[in-house]
Amino acid sequence: MLSGMSENTEKSSSEAPIGPSSNEDNERDRPDGGALSLPSFVAGSGSLDRLVDTARDYARAAASDNTLKAYAKDWAHFARWCRMKGAEPLPPSPEMIGLYLADVASGSGPSPALSVSTIDRRLSGLTWNYAQRGFSLDRKNRHIATVLAGIKRKHARPPVQKEAILAEDILAMVATLSYDLRGLRDRAILLLGYAGGLRRSEIVSLDVHKDDTPDSGGWIEIFEKGALLTLNAKTGWREVEIGRGSSEQSCPVHALEQWLHFAKIDFGPIFVGTSRDGKRALETRLNDKHVARLVKRTMLDAGIRADLPEKERLALFSGHSLRAGLASSAEVDERHVQKHLGHASAEMTRRYQRRRDRFRVNLTSAAGL
């Protein structure tokens, strides 16, 4: 079962959106700003053409790579569904989209029914794709809104949360790793991801210095008392302060220093692949899926939740378990956790706290009852 968890340094490619026909290169069918062009009444020139390319680059940067990949798959699935029904995806038809949502929610086709959150995300993907092609999709149209409301009322369930990795768990997971080059890297990934409350994409996007690579998602500065991470995160730029641990075995900053030193990394991506013999660091940045596979593998090796079958244990934990673990384990004021995780509201932070005293603030008693 774990054979698919081996190290993978290649970025997965997204499905190409399906256009109006396989032989037609329609500008409106190109996502990621590909449809941006000069107005028909403006004559092209070298400088204007370069500005068009620049504008397209900025349009592509409006969403993360993972979001763009998901949106591309959303469009491909919807376009394929339309053609199977004898229709075309362009221009947008609220009636057809309403039928599409009903189909994926009911699971009437060969594929299983989608969850409400996935359907909502897929509708966002279609809205984005239509906007990229010069169309406007009104989600409030009755053919869409009423069907979606009915789906939510009938099928909505509380969100399924990944299990949090607590302090004793992360120490046990780290203890399963060897001290070769690959083990040093994975130890730094786990401890840094846990102490920083980082998303897996944030971990692998880190560079040694600012502006080292075009695809950098941030960089790290190491000081005597800890490390400062500057992240271009999902919610914008933010700084994450990671202090040194109580011992070298559990210190994320020490683990990072050890990896950088022995891997001889002083420029570019921090977390990269290693050679087959594990003795040499490569130049290719790790895929964020490596973090999820690493969490699952070390969780199994450490015997965490051994009371459950292996399949259930694998489903319980993911890269997000590191982020939830910090929120659940840090015994500090909730505001500090909220800032550390980059949450806009305390309510979002509480969703990550798998263990907390929900009745610490008792308004019933405070009201005199």
Side-chain angles (χ1 to χ4, degrees):
M1 184 173 294
L2 291 176
S3 60
M5 293 183 187
S6 60
E7 181 178 315
N8 180 8
T9 60
E10 296 181 1
K11 291 184 178 294
S12 60
S13 59
S14 59
E15 292 184 48
I18 299 176
S21 70
S22 58
N23 299 321
E24 188 175 357
D25 184 14
N26 192 320
E27 282 291 325
R28 297 180 308 173
D29 228 21
R30 295 179 184 173
D32 309 347
L36 292 174
S37 60
L38 288 172
S40 58
F41 55 83
V42 175
S45 67
S47 60
L48 285 176
D49 290 342
R50 285 192 294 272
L51 281 177
V52 169
D53 291 337
T54 301
R56 288 174 178 168
D57 289 340
Y58 281 128
R60 293 186 185 98
S64 71
D65 287 343
N66 285 341
T67 299
L68 293 177
K69 290 175 183 177
Y71 284 173
K73 291 181 180 179
D74 292 339
W75 180 257
H77 188 274
F78 174 66
R80 190 179 301 115
W81 179 89
C82 284
R83 302 216 173 93
M84 290 176 63
K85 305 300 180 185
E88 288 293 334
L90 295 172
S93 165
E95 293 87 350
M96 288 302 294
I97 292 174
L99 293 176
Y100 171 71
L101 298 181
D103 195 13
V104 297
S106 63
S108 57
S111 301
L114 300 181
S115 67
V116 173
S117 60
T118 300
I119 292 171
D120 209 24
R121 201 292 316 285
R122 187 160 288 187
L123 182 57
S124 296
L126 295 182
T127 303
W128 183 89
N129 273 284
Y130 276 122
Q132 297 303 303
R133 292 160 173 81
F135 294 101
S136 176
L137 177 62
D138 182 11
R139 292 181 56 148
K140 295 181 180 180
N141 182 285
R142 63 187 179 88
H143 294 286
I144 298 174
T146 54
V147 172
L148 185 60
I151 291 171
K152 290 182 176 180
R153 184 176 179 84
K154 187 173 182 178
H155 298 297
R157 298 288 185 274
V160 178
Q161 295 181 319
K162 294 297 182 181
E163 191 94 353
I165 291 173
L166 304 179
E168 58 269 24
D169 299 328
I170 196 70
L171 293 177
M173 291 162 65
V174 166
T176 68
L177 298 171
S178 63
Y179 281 89
D180 61 3
L181 200 57
R182 191 171 298 155
L184 291 177
R185 180 201 62 195
D186 289 346
R187 183 174 283 99
I189 287 176
L190 288 176
L191 290 174
L192 197 72
Y194 184 83
L198 304 178
R199 300 175 179 90
R200 66 187 195 186
S201 59
E202 293 172 344
I203 297 172
V204 299
S205 69
L206 286 168
D207 278 2
V208 179
H209 308 106
K210 180 181 179 182
D211 300 327
D212 273 0
T213 63
D215 61 339
S216 170
W219 65 93
I220 294 183
E221 298 172 83
I222 298 178
F223 302 97
E224 182 180 350
K225 293 185 177 181
L228 176 64
L229 281 60
T230 303
L231 299 170
N232 186 7
K234 185 177 180 180
T235 54
W237 285 99
R238 84 176 196 272
E239 290 185 341
V240 175
E241 300 161 356
I242 299 179
R244 292 187 181 271
S246 56
S247 70
E248 289 188 349
Q249 287 70 29
S250 62
C251 177
V253 183
H254 177 74
L256 176 64
E257 290 173 324
Q258 290 288 98
W259 159 245
L260 292 176
H261 173 72
F262 287 103
K264 300 177 181 178
I265 296 175
D266 56 11
F267 181 84
I270 287 179
F271 294 115
V272 296
T274 59
S275 57
R276 287 185 177 275
D277 59 9
K279 296 181 179 180
R280 180 171 55 87
L282 306 177
E283 295 181 356
T284 308
R285 188 188 302 276
L286 282 179
N287 188 296
D288 65 349
K289 290 186 177 69
H290 175 79
V291 179
R293 288 192 292 265
L294 173 62
V295 168
K296 291 176 183 290
R297 189 185 75 238
T298 53
M299 173 273 302
L300 288 179
D301 292 344
I304 297 171
R305 293 305 307 268
D307 56 307
L308 298 175
E310 182 176 302
K311 186 176 180 180
E312 291 184 29
R313 294 165 69 194
L314 288 170
L316 275 178
F317 293 89
S318 73
H320 221 65
S321 298
L322 297 174
R323 193 164 161 84
L326 177 80
S328 303
S329 299
E331 300 292 341
V332 296
D333 191 290
E334 191 177 75
R335 292 172 297 175
H336 296 301
V337 180
Q338 179 183 340
K339 178 179 180 295
H340 198 76
L341 297 182
H343 288 154
S345 67
E347 179 60 33
M348 178 57 72
T349 302
R350 293 186 189 114
R351 294 182 191 177
Y352 282 74
Q353 294 172 322
R354 306 295 192 260
R355 61 176 190 184
R356 65 183 177 90
D357 184 0
R358 295 178 179 274
F359 304 102
R360 183 171 59 86
V361 177
N362 190 330
L363 292 182
T364 305
S365 176
L369 298 180

